[in-house]
């Protein structure tokens, strides 16, 4: 169902939906039931024929009535909005720093959509905005996992600084390490490498998101300043900017995924 709402409906699909709405209009059904029931009670078959004719007349009227088509379009838009909302990432489910970035990006996204809607430009750019926000949400999910993991490790005394201090203690005695101590030092060094990588990705996330929100603000202003005569070339330029941002965010999400996969293979200390 969500996939059906995302893709544009065909002419035949819209026609079938409109016919169904017209055939099930309340006034036509009321006329059919009431008059047909009267025909049955009074044993007058002609009333049943009249009921069917009234129902057909009401259906034809609603089918060709423009307001019914408007209601159909509004209903599809409402269902599409509900489907999109159900699949979007809930900021409340994320840790506060990542949630803040998600809310900022969505506010800028909404502003761009509003600018496109209020301008005389085509709405093709909204597809590029959709793709960017989808990439951003995937990145925010992984950033939330990384942020929470780093916080837990810090609370357990396994922050990067704590690991470095422990390794320095092991190697600072000046004596050759025993086999067990060497194995521990190697494991701590591997964990330190993974922790520093996670911290780097965490910091890259916030830097990238700040950059993305700033560039979205610039794009919003550029769209606002587009004139009808330069719309085509300007629209291509803005679409290119949105794609570049999407590639940047998607690349960060890929690095996060690889980092998490590598961390899962590390031995427990």
């Amino acid at each position: 169902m969500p996939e059906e709402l995302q893709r544009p409906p065909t002419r035949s699909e819209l026609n079938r939906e409109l016919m169904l709405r017209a055939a099930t209009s309340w006034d036509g059904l009321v006329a059919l039931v009431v008059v047909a029931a009267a025909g049955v009670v009074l044993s007058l078959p002609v009333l049943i024929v009249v009921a069917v004719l009234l129902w057909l007349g009401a259906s034809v009227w609603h089918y060709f009535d423009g307001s019914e088509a408007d209601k159909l379009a509004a209903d599809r838009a409402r269902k599409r909005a509900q489907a999109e909302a159900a699949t979007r990432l809930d900021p409340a489910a994320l840790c506060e720093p990542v949630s803040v970035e998600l809310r900022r990006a969505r506010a800028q996204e909404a502003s761009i959509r509003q600018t496109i809607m209020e301008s005389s430009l085509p709405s093709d750019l909204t597809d590029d905005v959709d793709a960017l926000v989808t990439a951003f949400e995937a990145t925010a999910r992984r950033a939330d996992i990384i942020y929470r993991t780093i916080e837990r490790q810090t609370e357990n005394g396994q922050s990067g600084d704590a690991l470095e201090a422990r390794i320095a203690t092991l190697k600072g005695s000046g004596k050759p390490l025993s086999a067990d101590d060497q194995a521990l030092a190697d494991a701590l060094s591997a964990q330190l490498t993974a922790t520093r990588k996670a911290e780097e990705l965490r910091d890259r996330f916030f830097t990238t998101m700040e950059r993305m929100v700033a560039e979205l603000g610039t794009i919003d202003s550029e769209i606002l300043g587009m004139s009808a005569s330069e719309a085509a070339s300007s629209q291509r330029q803005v679409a290119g900017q949105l794609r570049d941002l999407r590639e940047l965010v998607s690349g960060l999400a890929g690095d996060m995924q690889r980092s998490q996969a590598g961390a899962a293979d590390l031995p427990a200390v």
Side-chain angles (χ1 to χ4, degrees):
M1 183 65 176
E3 291 77 6
E4 294 178 0
L5 293 172
Q6 289 295 331
R7 66 173 176 79
T10 64
R11 183 182 297 273
S12 61
E13 288 173 338
L14 286 175
N15 189 54
R16 285 196 298 270
E17 286 189 47
L18 189 57
M19 290 177 63
L20 179 61
R21 292 175 68 93
T24 55
S25 59
W26 70 270
D27 48 356
L29 291 177
V30 168
L32 177 65
V33 172
V34 172
V35 178
V40 173
V41 171
L42 299 175
S43 299
L44 294 175
V46 66
L47 289 181
I48 298 177
V49 176
V50 171
V52 173
L53 292 176
L54 289 174
W55 171 71
L56 288 174
S59 299
V60 171
W61 169 266
H62 284 290
Y63 179 79
F64 289 105
D65 183 16
S67 63
E68 197 65 32
D70 293 339
K71 292 177 184 178
L72 174 59
D75 189 48
R76 289 188 64 90
R78 177 182 56 81
K79 291 179 179 178
R80 183 166 56 250
Q82 290 176 344
E84 290 176 354
T87 57
R88 300 199 73 176
L89 185 61
D90 182 11
L94 304 175
C95 61
E96 184 61 23
V98 177
S99 176
V100 168
E101 296 301 325
L102 178 58
R103 289 188 173 95
R104 290 179 63 213
R106 283 190 175 167
Q108 194 61 68
E109 170 210 0
S111 179
I112 290 178
R113 290 182 185 279
Q114 187 70 17
T115 302
I116 293 173
M117 184 181 69
E118 293 176 351
S119 69
S120 58
L121 300 171
S123 59
D124 297 348
L125 287 174
T126 57
D127 293 337
D128 294 304
V129 175
D130 288 339
L132 174 58
V133 173
T134 298
F136 171 76
E137 291 192 350
T139 307
R141 284 188 178 94
R142 299 195 179 282
D144 181 68
I145 295 172
I146 291 175
Y147 191 95
R148 292 178 187 274
T149 300
I150 293 174
E151 289 294 295
R152 288 194 301 269
Q153 290 177 341
T154 300
E155 292 172 359
N156 293 334
Q158 293 181 309
S159 65
D161 292 342
L163 291 170
E164 284 185 344
R166 177 59 175 142
I167 294 170
T169 299
L170 284 171
K171 296 182 177 180
S173 63
K175 299 178 181 179
L177 296 179
S178 67
D180 288 341
D181 285 343
Q182 185 61 56
L184 174 58
D186 292 342
L188 289 172
S189 296
Q191 184 179 5
L192 175 61
T193 299
T195 298
R196 291 306 189 199
K197 179 64 175 178
E199 291 172 347
E200 177 190 348
L201 288 171
R202 176 200 59 192
D203 296 341
R204 277 181 60 196
F205 168 78
F206 291 112
T207 301
T208 301
M209 292 308 104
E210 185 175 0
R211 172 186 169 183
M212 189 189 79
V213 171
E215 293 199 24
L216 285 177
T218 302
I219 290 172
D220 197 7
S221 299
E222 289 175 350
I223 294 173
L224 186 63
M226 286 183 188
S227 64
S229 60
E230 61 184 10
S233 60
S234 298
Q235 186 175 344
R236 286 192 295 271
Q237 178 182 347
V238 170
Q241 291 175 274
L242 289 170
R243 285 193 295 272
D244 289 343
L245 280 177
R246 185 176 73 242
E247 291 175 3
L248 175 69
V249 175
S250 297
L252 177 56
D255 290 343
M256 288 179 170
Q257 184 177 15
R258 287 188 290 273
S259 177
Q260 289 175 255
D265 295 332
L266 289 177
V269 179

